């Protein structure tokens, strides 16, 4: 089960893909250490979109592709935080009627080095590196951090009780540029 907002965004993304459009959104790298943007054209890919990880995402490798799709007249939905959307619009330097921006609100992005260190420490505790990270919604509507490891073990913790997110929610580890 996923949160209501992510269901709405996924449904919109699915509709865009079904009509031949493109979804540009953050996904985790194979080692789960970094978020990077990917242009997606099939429904299976949108299951990997990361909404709730408060990490910086590398948009730049995808921007030229987004511009090309927009110039070809394809509908593009770009999912990101306000900074990502502002960066894309600055890069494009013109308005496109076929660009839809799905805004994911953010309270500040966490240093990717802290996230990497956290995953490495958890991996050490669970005896393997992370294979998959995702957030679900629990029975009481709380967000739950799920981490699956290469050896099949799983870490599952209510986000508000997870040490990494407690640190992030307290403002520690948030990038200085986000605090300005």
């Amino acid at each position: 089960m996923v949160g209501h907002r992510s269901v709405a965004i996924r449904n919109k993304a699915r509709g865009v893909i079904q009509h031949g459009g493109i979804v540009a959104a953050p996904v985790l790298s194979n080692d789960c250490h970094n978020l990077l943007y990917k242009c997606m054209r099939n429904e299976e890919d949108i299951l990997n979109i990361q909404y709730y990880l408060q990490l910086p995402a590398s948009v730049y490798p995808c921007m030229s592709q987004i511009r090309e799709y927009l110039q070809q007249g394809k509908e593009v939905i770009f999912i990101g935080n306000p900074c990502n959307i502002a960066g894309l619009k600055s890069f494009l330097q013109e308005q496109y009627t076929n660009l839809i921006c799905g805004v994911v609100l953010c309270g500040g992005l966490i240093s990717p080095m802290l996230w990497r260190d956290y995953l490495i420490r958890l991996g050490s505790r669970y005896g393997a590196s992370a294979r998959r990270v995702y957030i679900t919604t629990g029975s009481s509507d709380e967000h739950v951090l799920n981490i699956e490891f290469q050896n099949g073990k799983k870490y599952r913790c209510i986000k508000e009780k997870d040490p990494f997110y407690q640190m992030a929610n307290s403002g520690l580890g948030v990038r200085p540029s986000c605090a300005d």
Side-chain angles (χ1 to χ4, degrees), residues 110-164:
I110 303 159
S111 165
M113 289 177 16
L114 293 173
W115 172 250
R116 259 181 250 128
D117 184 56
Y118 179 69
L119 278 183
I120 289 168
R121 288 174 189 267
L122 268 180
S124 178
R125 190 166 102 198
Y126 282 81
S129 59
R131 180 178 65 82
R132 184 171 178 230
V133 178
Y134 56 100
I135 307 275
T136 56
T137 302
S139 58
S140 301
D141 251 3
E142 73 274 350
H143 292 115
V144 179
L145 174 64
N146 299 271
I147 302 175
E148 295 176 4
F149 296 92
Q150 298 290 348
N151 60 7
K153 292 182 180 178
K154 295 179 182 179
Y155 170 82
R156 182 174 161 83
C157 186
I158 295 172
K159 201 171 155 189
E160 289 73 26
K161 294 183 180 178
D162 175 75
F164 180 78

Side-chain angles (χ1 to χ4, degrees), residues 6 8 15 20 23 25 28 31 35 42-43 96 103 109 119 127 130 135 140 150 155 158 160:
S6 59
V23 174
L28 275 169
D31 64 5
L35 275 182
N42 65 60
E43 291 186 44
Y96 287 91
V103 180
L109 299 178
L119 278 183
I135 307 275
S140 301
Q150 298 290 348
Y155 170 82
I158 295 172
E160 289 73 26

